[in-house]
Amino acid sequence: MYDDLNWKLPETGKAARLCHVYEKTDEFVSGIYGQQVQETKKSLQNIPSPRLVFTHLPVQHFHSEWKNGKRKCKIICIDRNPKDVCVSMYYFARALEWTRMDLTWDEWVPAFVEGKVWFGPWIDHVNGWHKYGVEDNVLHVAYEEMKQDLKSVLRKISEFLGRPLTEAKLDQVAKKGSLGEMRGNKADTRLAVTGEGSLKKDGQFFRKGKVGDWKSHFTVAQNEYFDRYITTEAEKQGLKIHY
């Protein structure tokens, strides 16, 4: 058992390690986002193993060595139902200082459905990763499962990582991972590489975090439109959506 969590990563003064890693950084991205990528690539080299990073990268932009079969790293892929993703992403984009996102909700929904947002289209992004499984060192976890029984999901993750935890430690991690705990920890609201001013003064890093918040945003027409182009197509491709 790893009861003392002695594999904890060294402190960096940041809550998370953003990982927008591309192999040909200078050719692929530019501007503020490009600066983030370059900064992250440099900082990753200085983090001792085991390194923990998070990313929103679609699988086609993941490192070529991994795609070619050298899968030493372990990947935990977290999915969330697309309607809640649409709502959450809308508010987060508007909360960031440097995005200059000024779309209204009525404009945002079709943009999301058509894949004209970061890392879109949603179906391509999720389906791309679902081509890989545990045999490829990829564990798939649903956000809705975590909301329903976080401790069970944490147990699954710890076993996947080969670092089983005691029941007491699982309880401790589950408590620390609750939305209330994270919202109360001011250090956890800082983005990793964007620096000061990342969030607008009234911007929220942690908003509601609930399942089904889309129901208070989508009109009947928007819901039918969304189902026609995303939900139905996702089901055809074998993707399970937890609404």
Side-chain angles (χ1 to χ4, degrees):
M1 291 290 183
Y2 287 79
D3 190 48
D4 59 353
L5 294 181
N6 58 6
W7 52 289
K8 178 182 178 182
L9 295 172
E11 295 293 337
T12 64
K14 302 293 184 183
R17 295 163 173 80
L18 275 173
C19 185
H20 306 298
V21 180
Y22 300 94
E23 292 172 77
K24 297 181 179 179
T25 305
D26 296 334
E27 300 176 18
F28 197 75
V29 289
S30 60
I32 295 178
Y33 189 62
Q35 293 173 15
Q36 292 183 18
V37 175
Q38 294 174 33
E39 185 176 339
T40 301
K41 289 182 71 173
K42 292 178 182 178
S43 64
L44 280 176
Q45 305 306 317
N46 299 323
I47 300 175
S49 181
R51 292 180 289 187
L52 175 64
V53 296
F54 72 82
T55 179
H56 297 296
L57 280 181
V59 70
Q60 64 266 29
H61 293 313
F62 208 64
H63 204 285
S64 60
E65 284 193 5
W66 185 88
K67 289 186 289 185
N68 291 332
K70 295 182 181 179
R71 296 170 185 155
K72 295 181 181 180
C73 65
K74 291 194 174 185
I75 298 173
I76 301 169
C77 187
I78 303 176
D79 299 329
R80 189 179 186 184
N81 82 71
K83 292 178 184 177
D84 280 338
V85 171
C86 183
V87 173
S88 179
M89 193 174 185
Y90 171 73
Y91 283 105
F92 188 60
R94 291 177 65 89
L96 291 174
E97 184 70 47
W98 50 272
T99 59
R100 303 294 190 269
M101 207 289 280
D102 56 2
L103 294 181
T104 66
W105 171 249
D106 289 341
E107 295 169 331
W108 175 264
V109 173
F112 185 93
V113 170
E114 295 169 17
K116 298 177 180 179
V117 297
W118 304 330
F119 312 111
W122 181 89
I123 290 180
D124 293 349
H125 190 292
V126 175
N127 206 28
W129 279 109
H130 272 266
K131 294 177 181 177
Y132 302 92
V134 175
E135 65 277 7
D136 303 299
N137 271 348
V138 179
L139 176 68
H140 291 278
V141 174
Y143 179 84
E144 292 78 12
E145 292 175 340
M146 293 193 294
K147 291 293 292 184
Q148 184 176 15
D149 188 353
L150 180 57
K151 185 176 178 180
S152 293
V153 175
L154 290 171
R155 184 182 295 108
K156 184 194 304 185
I157 291 174
S158 68
E159 292 172 354
F160 170 71
L161 295 176
R163 297 177 180 273
L165 301 177
T166 64
E167 291 299 306
K169 185 57 65 175
L170 285 170
D171 287 333
Q172 179 184 344
V173 176
K175 181 180 179 181
K176 290 286 187 180
S178 68
L179 187 64
E181 286 280 332
M182 291 191 293
R183 185 180 284 120
N185 185 349
K186 298 300 182 182
D188 281 347
T189 62
R190 294 178 296 177
L191 296 182
V193 295
T194 52
E196 297 299 326
S198 299
L199 289 174
K200 296 177 182 177
K201 290 183 178 180
D202 58 346
Q204 291 181 299
F205 193 90
F206 299 110
R207 203 174 63 88
K208 292 184 177 180
K210 61 183 293 186
V211 177
D213 189 42
W214 64 269
K215 296 176 183 177
S216 62
H217 291 76
F218 280 71
T219 65
V220 172
Q222 286 173 336
N223 188 48
E224 292 176 348
Y225 166 70
F226 202 98
D227 283 341
R228 184 163 61 252
Y229 291 103
I230 290 189
T231 307
T232 302
E233 185 60 32
E235 291 174 349
K236 288 181 181 178
Q237 297 188 27
L239 296 175
K240 294 182 179 179
I241 300 178
H242 303 271
Y243 284 133

